[in-house]
Amino acid sequence: VRDAREDLSWAHRAAEQLGAAGYRRGAARDAVLALLDRQQCALSALDIEDALRSGARSVGRASVYRILDQLERLDLVQKVEAGKNTVLYEPVRGGHEHHHHLVCDRCGRLVPFADEELERTIGKLSRRVPFQVSDHEVVLHGACDDCVR
Amino acid sequence: VRDAREDLSWAHRAAEQLGAAGYRRGAARDAVLALLDRQQCALSALDIEDALRSGARSVGRASVYRILDQLERLDLVQKVEAGKNTVLYEPVRGGHEHHHHLVCDRCGRLVPFADEELERTIGKLSRRVPFQVSDHEVVLHGACDDCVR
DNA sequence: TTGGGTGCAAACTCTTTGCATGCCC
DNA sequence: GGGCATGCAAAGAGTTTGCACCCAA
């Protein structure tokens, strides 16, 4: 059985959940949600500001951070720490697409990957550990095909 | 058979390798190495600056960053990205103690853990992926015992 | 003696905060 | 109409750079 909400766009679903959580709509938020929904890979807050400045609707830097913060609280976006002292954000879409990232330390390319065995291993591990684990992040560093060639 | 170099302190070994790599000695470097060797858990660059300012020998901020950079290049320290927009550094001691971290999202506590199965899984995975993987980092987020209680 | 190490201060980058204005509800 | 959302500017926090001076080699 498929959850009906997966048929809606991420942006739509995010807007609903933000509303349900008591946040109000606004032009800045609409623009950020639309942009994030369009992106394939993870973006930094500044990337978002720049992209929107070039576009029709310009959005204040502070609003970008505030909106990302709201989205993160509701698990609608996921932070990716890819080194380089910058945090990237990516939309969390359906359920069955939890993934991690490969980071090319030469060109900075970010490539997602998923691995069931890895998830199982981390799941088991999480139960053995003296923490109540709620989340995890795996980053593989190295050189991408293009940079090795 | 035990590698003789493991009998030396980390600071001593680090100093040797830095020398072999062509870096020169200096008072700042000695102080940073000694401090790192004394620490149990990971520190930020600012933590190091503060700790050394309180102590006998004060070290310039720039030197701390430069020294950490040298140490990282030689894999003598390891970066830990524990969220909160700050990078932590910890000495890499012998061979058999590769580990990862649990981060308490409430109090910020950082706890190391090691798991062989996890390493094996990541090893296999690394060979399947279109990258030449050289390193990896796993961070489990959650609440530590103290914060749950 | 010489070139790299060091400290200071300033520049830079990314993020957060304060406040006046505007718009959703 | 009230109060949160927004934009701007300025403040913070962390990191990097420029440069004069010092010291290890």
Side-chain angles (χ1 to χ4, degrees):
Chain A
V1 186
R2 184 128 174 246
D3 184 333
R5 287 184 307 176
E6 285 177 26
D7 290 316
L8 298 174
S9 70
W10 173 85
H12 187 110
R13 204 160 34 89
E16 269 184 2
Q17 291 194 223
L18 285 165
Y23 296 110
R24 292 193 191 174
R25 257 189 84 200
R29 198 181 81 179
D30 288 348
V32 171
L33 290 185
L35 177 70
L36 279 174
D37 206 356
R38 248 180 281 134
Q39 299 305 317
Q40 209 49 244
C41 53
L43 290 179
S44 72
L46 280 299
D47 290 339
I48 293 173
E49 190 193 354
D50 289 347
L52 292 177
R53 197 202 332 280
S54 319
R57 153 145 249 99
S58 181
V59 166
R61 172 171 317 168
S63 298
V64 173
Y65 283 104
R66 283 184 288 235
I67 292 161
L68 286 173
D69 189 54
Q70 297 170 4
L71 289 170
E72 201 202 344
R73 272 181 220 290
L74 299 179
D75 287 316
L76 290 165
V77 297
Q78 181 190 4
K79 272 190 187 171
V80 181
E81 311 202 46
K84 302 313 293 171
N85 310 333
T86 311
V87 182
L88 305 180
Y89 297 85
E90 62 181 4
V92 173
R93 297 198 145 85
H96 20 278
E97 57 159 73
H98 173 72
H99 63 270
H100 299 289
H101 296 89
L102 297 155
V103 178
C104 178
D105 291 327
R106 301 193 196 170
C107 69
R109 194 145 72 101
L110 194 72
V111 176
F113 74 88
D115 186 75
E116 275 212 19
E117 185 183 354
L118 178 62
E119 299 306 327
R120 261 180 279 129
T121 303
I122 292 178
K124 279 192 292 180
L125 171 59
S126 294
R127 270 172 250 124
R128 274 206 302 282
V129 115
F131 262 53
Q132 202 164 290
V133 176
S134 58
D135 200 8
H136 63 262
E137 185 174 3
V138 178
V139 179
L140 305 187
H141 287 271
C144 72
D145 273 358
D146 292 352
C147 285
V148 165
R149 191 170 303 147
Chain B
V1 186
R2 185 129 173 243
D3 185 333
R5 288 185 306 175
E6 285 178 25
D7 290 314
L8 298 174
S9 70
W10 172 84
H12 187 108
R13 203 160 35 86
E16 269 184 1
Q17 290 193 224
L18 285 165
Y23 296 109
R24 293 192 189 174
R25 258 191 82 202
R29 197 181 81 179
D30 288 349
V32 171
L33 290 185
L35 177 69
L36 279 174
D37 206 356
R38 248 179 282 133
Q39 300 305 316
Q40 209 48 246
C41 53
L43 290 178
S44 72
L46 281 299
D47 290 340
I48 294 174
E49 190 193 355
D50 288 347
L52 292 177
R53 198 200 333 279
S54 319
R57 153 143 247 99
S58 181
V59 166
R61 172 171 317 169
S63 298
V64 173
Y65 283 104
R66 284 184 287 234
I67 292 161
L68 287 173
D69 190 53
Q70 297 170 5
L71 290 170
E72 201 202 343
R73 273 180 220 291
L74 299 179
D75 288 316
L76 290 165
V77 297
Q78 181 190 1
K79 271 190 188 174
V80 181
E81 311 201 46
K84 302 311 296 168
N85 310 333
T86 312
V87 182
L88 305 179
Y89 297 86
E90 62 180 4
V92 173
R93 297 197 144 85
H96 22 279
E97 56 159 73
H98 173 72
H99 63 270
H100 298 288
H101 295 89
L102 297 155
V103 179
C104 177
D105 291 326
R106 302 194 194 168
C107 70
R109 193 145 73 102
L110 195 72
V111 176
F113 74 88
D115 187 74
E116 275 212 19
E117 186 184 353
L118 178 63
E119 299 306 327
R120 262 180 278 124
T121 303
I122 291 178
K124 280 191 292 181
L125 171 60
S126 294
R127 270 171 252 124
R128 273 206 303 281
V129 115
F131 263 52
Q132 201 166 289
V133 176
S134 58
D135 199 9
H136 64 262
E137 186 175 3
V138 178
V139 179
L140 305 187
H141 286 271
C144 71
D145 273 359
D146 292 353
C147 286
V148 165
R149 190 170 304 146

